[in-house]
Amino acid sequence: MDEVQVPLTEPAVAKYTLNEEQERKEIIRHYRALLKSLRPKLKKGDKELVRQAFEMAAEAHKTMRRKSGEPYIIHPIAVAMICVEEIGLGVRSTICALLHDTVEDTDITLEDVEREFGIEIAKIVDGLTKISSVIDTNTSQQAENFKKILLTLTDDPRVILIKLADRLHNMRTLDSMRREKQLKIASETVWVYAPLAHRMGLYNIKTELEDLSMKYLEPDAYKDIARKLSETKRERTRYINEFIRPLKDKMIAGNFDFEIYGRPKSIHSIWNKIKKKSVEFEEVYDLFAIRVILNSPPEKEKEDCWKVYSMITDEYNPSPERLRDWLSNPKSNGYEALHTTVMGPQGKWVEVQIRTKRMNEIAEKGLAAHYKYKEGSNDEDRFDKWFGQIREVLSAQDTDGVDFLQDFKTSFLAEEIYVYTPKGEVKMLPTGSTALDFAFSIHSAIGTKCIGAKVHHKLVPIGHKLRSGDQVEIITSNKQKPSEDWLNLVVTAKAKSKIKDSLREEKRKIAEDGKYTLQRKLEAMGAAFSQYNIEELVQFYKLPSSLELHYRIATKSLDLKELKDFQVLGDKIEIPKPKPTTIETPPVYDPNKAGSKKDSELIIFGESSDKIMYNLAKCCNPIPGDDVFGFVSTGKGLIIHRTSCPNAAQLMANYGHRVVKTKWAKNKEISFLTGLRIIGLDDVGVINKITNVISGDLKINISGLSIDSREGLFEGTIKVFVHDKEELEELVTRLKSLDGIQTVDRFDTEN
Ligand code: MN
């Protein structure tokens, strides 16, 4: 997958077919290397199975070539090699890796695979096939696709590990692809696969995926940092040696069996630091980290790590905020280590990572290493718990793709914190979790009744963000029930889906009243309360469902007075022929007409995007400068009320979800029309993100917006009104910092 296969006869690759004998030897050489690294894991009969898989794949891919011109079979062999060498997977995964593209791209069927290798392998190959077909369809529905990928992950984690190996090999050989394809694959990699590798505990693969992506996405920055790293290498090595020397002496005197070395940080992580802190390369202090690897027996691991910590901090002064103890509380992907940052020679901060050989292997090979150390360790539970949580969320129905992906990213790919229950039980939660998330993580019945919490005995609101080490006690009330805005107070997928469930339940209850009202109205007209009539009304009011119709009637947000004009034939209602339009269009904010119109300086920020339509409320007549809010009415667009309006309290209390924050624009007189061209990855909600930055964060008006998307990339042109260059530059910087955006360039709107 991710490969365009060209037939052997294509002229462009003809030169590679000249020496078939040599090519065959090359394939065999790769295959032998694979067998060699697999050797320690081979049991009786395994070798034959592997050979059978190799022969099946080689035969099936016989006429195919990669874009580079290589015989296609080199790719599955390389993927298998990554599985064995870099992820530590075994024989069955090797077989799956060899076969991973056969069902998708060749005549081999899943039944063939099952017949030859059994159901277990067929299932994994099936999972890999599904992943490739969802990823490669060039749609912009990345979110929906990704959900499917993760659904297959729940069957067997090996599916995702082999997929990561596949992606890694494709990234390593991306050079021969078209530029457009390179950008798409690289974006997808940095956006989905690198975080996934991180979450599976595959730190080396994660780093390499990020670096390779950057090489294609930001070639200049990549080359620049790579060059500077190599230019400063000698100086760095000297410093590292100076730093290490006294530590070595101490550890030798302490009879430790250890390795200590300096390790450069990845180009991608250095680049992130440069961007995040807007500093120069020269100012990034942690270009490298010092790693101490101890060879300790299992029962002395923790003690030894702390002893070494103590030796290091005797020599160099540690920064108290930078101590990370993943010995006592390993990350849920299994990572264990002790990290500290100390003041080294010449007043430089240096990060030191202390871990044992076992921990190091887990850090490098992730999950697979877990299996190896399974006996007598409880880290396995931690991973299983995490995996179980993913399964739980995935099995929850009716989350749509976009929400799901967002939830997944924040819940499972984010870094995590650990917090304690009043009884001292540890809970792992994603960074950014609130008291409410915590409540839902204990039990949904506690979540829905949560009114607040005590953190270290101090009262906090439900939206309070928790920090590692917090001890949290949830306070509940039977009168409490979830509201729409709770969705903004939580980050975990579990809490979100439980809140949605409960809102839906509540809505259903309210809708019952509306249903009754409607029944009376219809019967009073002589019409039946029938399925037919209800569907007619749902269509007439352009609503998604009868539930929505009943709900709106119950909440009086839908007026049934049109019913008077309806004819009744038999017991069926006759919908009058549609008038041109029943909804009057509210004024549209047009900066060109700025000046005399007093309401023209209103800017709305929040969810709204390009065009802002609004009316000023008659009840309180707001003017510029008043404290205002917007209310989303049915049919009339946004209505602006003063916060001191007599109706304000009632509106906000009952329809909180329809209230939008609004604000008057700064009274800058003139603005200029200018255009931006944006190129990026066509991912979920990218347009929303862009418009949110422009009209939301920066309160700049959009005059026109067009987006073209092709093969997963989009190109958009946006015309905006800005007051000065500074404002424009601020806008460009903000847009560039969005995930998935490649370039933002200014263009003259006259052209
Ligand atoms: Mn592949």
Side-chain angles (χ1 to χ4, degrees):
M1 79 230 26
D2 297 335
E3 276 298 323
V4 176
Q5 289 148 8
V6 288
L8 201 61
T9 48
E10 198 162 286
V13 295
K15 61 176 178 207
Y16 292 96
T17 67
L18 287 179
N19 198 335
E20 277 184 38
E21 185 49 32
Q22 233 169 26
E23 215 165 55
R24 229 177 47 84
K25 277 190 185 149
E26 181 70 7
I27 294 170
I28 297 294
R29 196 177 60 79
H30 281 270
Y31 174 66
R32 291 228 171 98
L34 173 66
L35 272 188
K36 193 176 167 209
S37 60
L38 198 57
R39 192 157 299 143
K41 293 180 180 170
L42 289 174
K43 294 199 191 72
K44 201 166 173 287
D46 283 350
K47 200 172 165 187
E48 285 63 43
L49 277 176
V50 174
R51 185 216 294 276
Q52 202 183 332
F54 164 66
E55 279 170 0
M56 191 172 183
E59 177 63 23
H61 290 297
K62 186 170 66 181
T63 58
M64 294 170 177
R65 284 176 185 279
R66 305 192 83 212
K67 263 276 155 136
S68 62
E70 271 181 336
Y72 194 83
I73 187 67
I74 300 285
H75 166 67
I77 298 175
V79 173
M81 193 73 170
I82 294 171
C83 287
V84 177
E85 290 270 286
E86 296 174 58
I87 309 182
L89 292 170
V91 175
R92 251 124 291 272
S93 304
T94 305
I95 292 170
C96 297
L98 286 170
L99 296 170
H100 83 271
D101 280 334
T102 53
V103 173
E104 163 100 30
D105 302 326
T106 75
D107 295 336
I108 290 177
T109 63
L110 213 52
E111 288 72 45
D112 296 334
V113 174
E114 191 181 332
R115 197 181 49 242
E116 299 291 323
F117 301 100
I119 183 81
E120 183 192 358
I121 283 172
K123 268 193 172 160
I124 297 175
V125 172
D126 186 32
L128 288 161
T129 306
K130 280 184 192 141
I131 290 180
S132 64
S133 53
V134 292
I135 268 287
D136 241 8
T137 45
N138 282 335
T139 62
S140 53
Q141 293 181 315
Q142 288 297 323
E144 203 46 55
N145 291 344
F146 191 57
K147 182 176 178 183
K148 288 185 198 149
I149 294 179
L150 291 160
L151 280 167
T152 60
L153 173 146
T154 55
D155 298 338
D156 192 322
R158 282 175 291 182
V159 172
I160 220 72
L161 295 172
I162 298 168
K163 178 64 200 170
L164 283 167
D166 181 31
R167 177 52 61 119
L168 181 59
H169 186 245
N170 285 333
M171 285 302 294
R172 284 176 181 169
T173 52
L174 203 55
D175 260 338
S176 40
M177 302 298 265
R178 273 178 298 130
R179 176 75 182 139
E180 195 180 47
K181 194 94 184 182
Q182 285 176 344
L183 289 179
K184 181 183 177 271
I185 293 176
S187 307
E188 211 176 72
T189 299
V190 79
W191 201 63
V192 175
Y193 289 96
L196 204 50
H198 180 81
R199 224 46 193 80
M200 301 301 272
L202 298 162
Y203 287 91
N204 290 355
I205 290 183
K206 171 221 173 202
T207 304
E208 191 178 345
L209 286 175
E210 281 175 345
D211 272 5
L212 286 168
S213 302
M214 188 189 162
K215 190 174 146 196
Y216 293 98
L217 296 172
E218 298 284 341
D220 295 341
Y222 181 88
K223 277 181 221 146
D224 189 45
I225 294 174
R227 184 179 49 81
K228 284 178 175 153
L229 270 179
S230 88
E231 280 170 6
T232 51
K233 188 168 177 218
R234 188 195 277 263
E235 184 192 326
R236 203 165 42 248
T237 310
R238 199 180 310 128
Y239 184 84
I240 289 171
N241 288 338
E242 184 188 346
F243 182 90
I244 285 177
R245 200 173 305 121
L247 302 180
K248 258 188 179 164
D249 294 345
K250 285 193 174 175
M251 285 193 282
I252 290 169
N255 275 326
F256 281 99
D257 178 5
F258 68 97
E259 259 182 275
I260 183 168
Y261 53 86
R263 201 172 181 284
K265 294 258 168 112
S266 76
I267 294 183
H268 184 263
S269 72
I270 292 170
W271 184 58
N272 265 345
K273 213 145 261 171
I274 292 175
K275 277 195 307 182
K276 222 188 259 167
K277 305 204 164 138
S278 32
V279 292
E280 298 292 314
F281 175 87
E282 290 70 23
E283 299 169 64
V284 178
Y285 69 83
D286 47 355
L287 292 171
F288 62 93
I290 300 290
R291 200 171 275 174
V292 183
I293 313 270
L294 298 169
N295 194 2
S296 295
E299 68 280 4
K300 293 191 75 182
E301 285 190 311
K302 197 170 165 185
E303 182 189 334
D304 284 355
C305 288
W306 281 109
K307 274 186 187 155
V308 168
Y309 170 82
S310 164
M311 288 175 173
I312 293 168
T313 51
D314 278 349
E315 186 70 32
Y316 304 115
N317 212 8
S319 154
E321 309 88 83
R322 302 287 306 267
L323 175 65
R324 299 283 178 273
D325 173 12
W326 287 305
L327 292 178
S328 316
N329 285 293
K331 294 188 185 184
S332 58
N333 63 17
Y335 185 78
E336 291 171 76
L338 199 54
H339 289 195
T340 179
T341 300
V342 299
M343 181 58 79
Q346 302 160 30
K348 284 183 187 167
W349 289 109
V350 176
E351 184 185 316
V352 186
Q353 306 171 349
I354 308 161
R355 49 170 100 139
T356 62
K357 262 186 140 158
R358 178 191 64 83
M359 297 171 188
N360 191 49
E361 192 165 340
I362 288 176
E364 280 171 359
K365 293 187 177 170
L367 175 66
H370 270 274
Y371 284 141
K372 183 173 160 190
Y373 291 106
K374 191 161 187 159
E375 304 93 85
S377 141
N378 64 355
D379 317 327
E380 196 56 30
D381 305 345
R382 222 176 263 274
F383 187 85
D384 283 349
K385 245 186 219 163
W386 178 71
F387 215 71
Q389 280 169 8
I390 295 184
R391 283 209 187 93
E392 190 182 326
V393 172
L394 286 169
S395 57
Q397 278 150 12
D398 74 24
T399 43
D400 71 68
V402 178
D403 281 358
F404 169 81
L405 185 56
Q406 206 46 54
D407 290 355
F408 187 87
K409 277 183 87 93
T410 41
S411 292
F412 299 116
L413 301 182
E415 283 293 318
E416 55 212 352
I417 54 170
Y418 51 93
V419 290
Y420 297 94
T421 67
K423 286 186 180 151
E425 194 195 328
V426 186
K427 289 257 171 206
M428 309 290 278
L429 291 170
T431 304
S433 290
T434 60
L436 197 52
D437 281 302
F438 179 80
F440 275 101
S441 82
I442 297 172
H443 197 281
S444 54
I446 295 185
T448 49
K449 299 284 170 221
C450 177
I451 55 170
K454 280 183 183 168
V455 172
H456 299 307
H457 309 295
K458 234 183 92 199
L459 207 58
V460 298
I462 57 175
H464 177 81
K465 281 203 168 48
L466 300 175
R467 293 167 47 166
S468 260
D470 281 352
Q471 188 165 31
V472 190
E473 183 187 343
I474 294 299
I475 305 164
T476 59
S477 156
N478 279 331
K479 290 194 186 114
Q480 180 69 304
K481 51 179 136 162
S483 63
E484 196 96 7
D485 40 296
W486 278 27
L487 291 171
N488 300 322
L489 300 178
V490 294
V491 300
T492 54
K494 181 176 181 185
K496 277 198 183 155
S497 81
K498 295 293 175 200
I499 293 169
K500 281 181 193 159
D501 284 351
S502 136
L503 290 173
R504 216 174 294 126
E505 191 45 44
E506 184 68 18
K507 194 169 181 176
R508 224 166 258 143
K509 269 191 219 151
I510 294 170
E512 278 301 307
D513 291 342
K515 196 169 164 186
Y516 183 61
T517 310
L518 181 63
Q519 182 174 3
R520 272 181 319 178
K521 287 249 177 183
L522 285 173
E523 283 167 3
M525 293 163 64
F529 181 65
S530 62
Q531 190 70 18
Y532 174 86
N533 284 344
I534 292 171
E535 269 163 27
E536 286 290 288
L537 287 172
V538 166
Q539 288 217 338
F540 176 76
Y541 286 109
K542 298 191 176 69
L543 296 173
S545 64
S546 57
L547 176 69
E548 192 64 33
L549 176 72
H550 297 148
Y551 177 75
R552 293 204 186 187
I553 294 170
T555 55
K556 302 199 166 51
S557 56
L558 188 141
D559 202 338
L560 283 174
K561 66 172 185 280
E562 286 99 335
L563 280 186
K564 284 202 296 284
D565 306 332
F566 290 5
Q567 303 285 324
V568 180
L569 272 181
D571 60 359
K572 290 180 175 176
I573 50 169
E574 256 315 72
I575 304 288
K577 288 275 162 287
K579 295 167 207 159
T581 169
T582 48
I583 296 166
E584 80 183 76
T585 317
V588 172
Y589 175 46
D590 179 356
N592 290 321
K593 293 187 200 148
S596 61
K597 268 183 83 188
K598 65 171 186 200
D599 56 352
S600 64
E601 287 161 315
L602 188 78
I603 293 294
I604 292 114
F605 62 99
E607 302 286 86
S608 64
S609 55
D610 44 1
K611 276 184 181 159
I612 301 150
M613 307 192 293
Y614 64 91
N615 282 317
L616 296 174
K618 302 248 160 38
C619 46
C620 53
N621 291 317
I623 54 162
D626 280 344
D627 220 349
V628 289
F629 67 94
F631 183 73
V632 183
S633 70
T634 21
K636 284 188 182 162
L638 199 65
I639 300 183
I640 308 302
H641 291 265
R642 291 166 68 174
T643 34
S644 59
C645 170
N647 293 321
Q650 185 250 339
L651 288 174
M652 292 206 215
N654 293 320
Y655 305 100
H657 58 289
R658 287 160 59 187
V659 169
V660 184
K661 275 190 190 170
T662 59
K663 200 175 170 180
W664 302 98
K666 276 193 206 119
N667 207 359
K668 285 184 180 175
E669 297 293 327
I670 317 160
S671 49
F672 299 91
L673 191 61
T674 185
L676 290 175
R677 185 169 287 118
I678 306 183
I679 297 176
L681 176 69
D682 186 12
D683 81 33
V684 199
V686 72
I687 296 169
N688 227 341
K689 278 190 251 163
I690 293 172
T691 51
N692 271 345
V693 165
I694 302 176
S695 54
D697 298 354
L698 297 176
K699 291 161 236 133
I700 291 171
N701 296 306
I702 301 177
S703 123
L705 173 87
S706 78
I707 302 276
D708 264 330
S709 101
R710 191 158 53 102
E711 293 193 76
L713 284 177
F714 78 88
E715 181 171 337
T717 54
I718 300 186
K719 291 177 183 175
V720 288
F721 283 94
V722 292
H723 295 97
D724 50 33
K725 202 165 162 236
E726 202 184 308
E727 197 174 6
L728 181 66
E729 276 164 359
E730 159 89 336
L731 174 61
V732 171
T733 321
R734 293 270 204 117
L735 288 173
K736 275 187 175 163
S737 73
L738 290 175
D739 276 351
I741 300 292
Q742 304 312 325
T743 58
V744 181
D745 290 307
R746 188 173 172 180
F747 73 91
D748 212 338
T749 49
E750 304 309 315
N751 303 326

